[in-house]
Amino acid sequence: MPDNTIEVRIEDISQLFHTLDPYPFRERDLDRDAEEFIINWARELPRNQPIHLVVYLSESQLTLPHAQEVPAGIKQHFNHRVEQASFDLRETFRIGWRSLAVGLSVLTAAIVASQAIHATAPPPLNRVFEESLIIFGWVANWKPIETFLYDWWPIIRRRNLYRRLADATVEVKAR
């Protein structure tokens, strides 16, 4: 098998898909264990190569009508995961922009208050209050800074992995 191949060996098709999912077979979610197995293996594959997924079934399972729908079901599942990750990314940025608006408002108020304290408070205390307010203003910006610098990268990586899995070549073969 090539370096970019994920092999899944199952006894029954029901091991691959969530059996309590009420949707038609090809629209069902993957079983959590199967999804985790595929994702963990996919993380180890070279990122510059397309993924090839081979699902091995017994001869009796291979003749079932659902066996022909396995590739479409897997692709559908990971396309749905791409949509979810894209939503998570938009939500992260939405929260980041709101946090930034709050943080900048607090920073502005802290700067104005520190200037007022500087002009009115006695000299030994004015410096302490002034610096404390400035620090408070910057701490209020911690969350938006963290969001825009770091929080979105894992979501992008996850979305890209799901996209690679959704675009994977899926084969169903006999064991």
Side-chain angles (χ1 to χ4, degrees):
M1 287 285 154
D3 291 350
N4 58 339
T5 301
I6 298 172
E7 296 177 326
V8 179
R9 299 177 195 286
I10 54 174
E11 297 295 319
D12 191 282
I13 294 176
S14 65
Q15 290 176 286
L16 194 57
F17 292 95
H18 194 280
T19 54
L20 297 178
D21 195 338
Y23 288 104
F25 186 79
R26 72 172 32 214
E27 296 176 20
R28 289 185 181 174
D29 284 336
L30 285 179
D31 178 77
R32 284 180 198 236
D33 292 336
E35 179 185 32
E36 186 177 329
F37 176 80
I38 292 168
I39 288 170
N40 287 339
W41 197 336
R43 282 187 181 126
E44 302 297 321
L45 298 177
R47 290 183 181 166
N48 61 345
Q49 295 180 1
I51 295 174
H52 183 77
L53 178 62
V54 180
V55 177
Y56 291 100
L57 292 170
S58 65
E59 289 286 342
S60 62
Q61 289 287 302
L62 199 57
T63 59
L64 296 174
H66 292 319
Q68 302 345 296
E69 295 181 21
V70 166
I74 290 172
K75 287 177 179 290
Q76 171 72 20
H77 176 79
F78 285 111
N79 276 322
H80 181 67
R81 288 289 191 234
V82 168
E83 291 171 11
Q84 286 178 327
S86 295
F87 175 80
D88 290 347
L89 184 63
R90 286 189 305 274
E91 185 69 9
T92 297
F93 281 126
R94 186 184 66 77
I95 290 168
W97 285 113
R98 285 187 177 173
S99 299
L100 183 61
V102 169
L104 290 177
S105 298
V106 170
L107 179 60
T108 301
I111 291 171
V112 168
S114 74
Q115 294 302 312
I117 287 175
H118 178 73
T120 60
L125 291 177
N126 69 348
R127 186 83 173 141
V128 171
F129 289 129
E130 185 181 339
E131 293 296 324
S132 297
L133 284 169
I134 298 296
I135 291 169
F136 176 72
W138 282 111
V139 168
N141 284 284
W142 186 276
K143 176 64 177 162
I145 290 170
E146 181 180 21
T147 298
F148 291 122
L149 289 179
Y150 304 111
D151 288 352
W152 61 281
W153 287 103
I155 300 170
I156 293 286
R157 274 196 302 276
R158 190 172 65 240
R159 185 185 66 183
N160 290 346
L161 179 63
Y162 292 154
R163 190 171 285 143
R164 287 182 63 218
L165 285 164
D167 293 340
T169 304
V170 181
E171 275 187 90
V172 180
K173 292 183 175 181
R175 283 190 281 135

